[in-house]
């Protein structure tokens, strides 16, 4: 059985139709911060259940309901979510299967010491010449299959 997680970050108030299409059919969505507006999470909730954290641009009353970091368990995997990987405290990474971050707008999949590090990149407005991307993570019986999806 496959459990599909959609991972998005740095929307900055823009949820592209391409992102919505790419996330259709996932079992859960993680937003790794810099949401930009409450309507983004509302739209994502119409696709699948959402876990979202606050990023450095998320301010105001609406953003207070989102934590700076979150530890969730999905499909038997322990997933730690934070916006800026540079702020990761060493003890937070202990015992987790996946660390998801955003902030840099640079998509990246890496494995260090048995931990999957995943940054979906930015799905919002293009920044410099960086790609517009999001990620998926399929949890299957024999492990995890991360993928970066280009939206343009």
């Amino acid at each position: 059985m496959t459990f599909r997680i959609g991972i998005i970050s740095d929307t900055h108030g823009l949820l592209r139709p391409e992102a919505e299409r790419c996330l259709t059919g996932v079992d859960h969505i993680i937003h790794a911060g810099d949401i930009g507006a409450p309507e983004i999470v509302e739209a994502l909730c119409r696709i699948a259940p959402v876990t979202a954290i606050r990023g450095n641009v998320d301010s105001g009353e609406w953003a207070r309901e989102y934590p700076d970091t979150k530890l969730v368990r999905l499909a038997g995997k322990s997933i730690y979510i934070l916006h800026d990987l540079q702020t990761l405290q060493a003890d937070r990474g202990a015992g987790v299967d996946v660390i998801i971050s955003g902030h840099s707008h640079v998509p990246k999949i890496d494995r260090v010491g048995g931990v999957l590090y995943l940054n979906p990149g930015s799905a919002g407005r293009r920044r410099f010449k960086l790609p517009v991307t999001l990620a998926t993570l399929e949890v299957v019986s024999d492990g995890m299959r991360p993928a970066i999806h280009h939206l343009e």
Side-chain angles (χ1 to χ4, degrees):
M1 184 170 178
T2 301
F3 189 89
R4 291 189 70 231
I5 303 167
I7 304 162
I8 191 168
S9 187
D10 296 276
T11 49
H12 293 271
L14 172 65
L15 184 59
R16 295 168 179 266
E18 302 94 327
E20 290 181 276
R21 282 193 297 276
C22 191
L23 293 170
T24 299
V26 300
D27 298 295
H28 196 93
I29 297 172
I30 292 173
H31 195 305
D34 280 1
I35 301 163
E39 296 80 18
I40 300 298
V41 175
E42 291 166 11
L44 293 173
C45 283
R46 290 192 287 273
I47 299 169
V50 175
T51 298
I53 62 158
R54 181 174 53 233
N56 57 290
V57 304
D58 297 322
S59 59
E61 284 296 315
W62 69 270
R64 290 190 181 152
E65 73 179 84
Y66 300 102
D68 290 326
T69 64
K70 182 91 175 165
L71 179 64
V72 295
R73 190 156 187 87
L74 296 170
K77 300 295 180 186
S78 179
I79 302 171
Y80 185 70
I81 312 156
L82 74 165
H83 185 59
D84 184 354
L85 187 59
Q86 299 300 317
T87 65
L88 178 66
Q89 299 170 359
D91 62 329
R92 289 291 187 187
V96 300
D97 300 298
V98 184
I99 295 176
I100 294 175
S101 62
H103 187 62
S104 70
H105 292 224
V106 178
K108 188 171 185 178
I109 296 171
D110 202 8
R111 292 184 195 270
V112 179
V115 177
L116 173 65
Y117 286 78
L118 198 156
N119 185 324
S122 171
R125 289 171 184 81
R126 180 181 298 282
R127 184 175 177 202
F128 310 116
K129 293 187 182 208
L130 294 170
V132 177
T133 58
L134 57 76
T136 54
L137 177 62
E138 292 183 347
V139 181
V140 294
S141 60
D142 62 346
M144 297 181 288
R145 293 191 297 239
I148 301 292
H149 303 275
H150 292 261
L151 301 178
E152 290 185 313

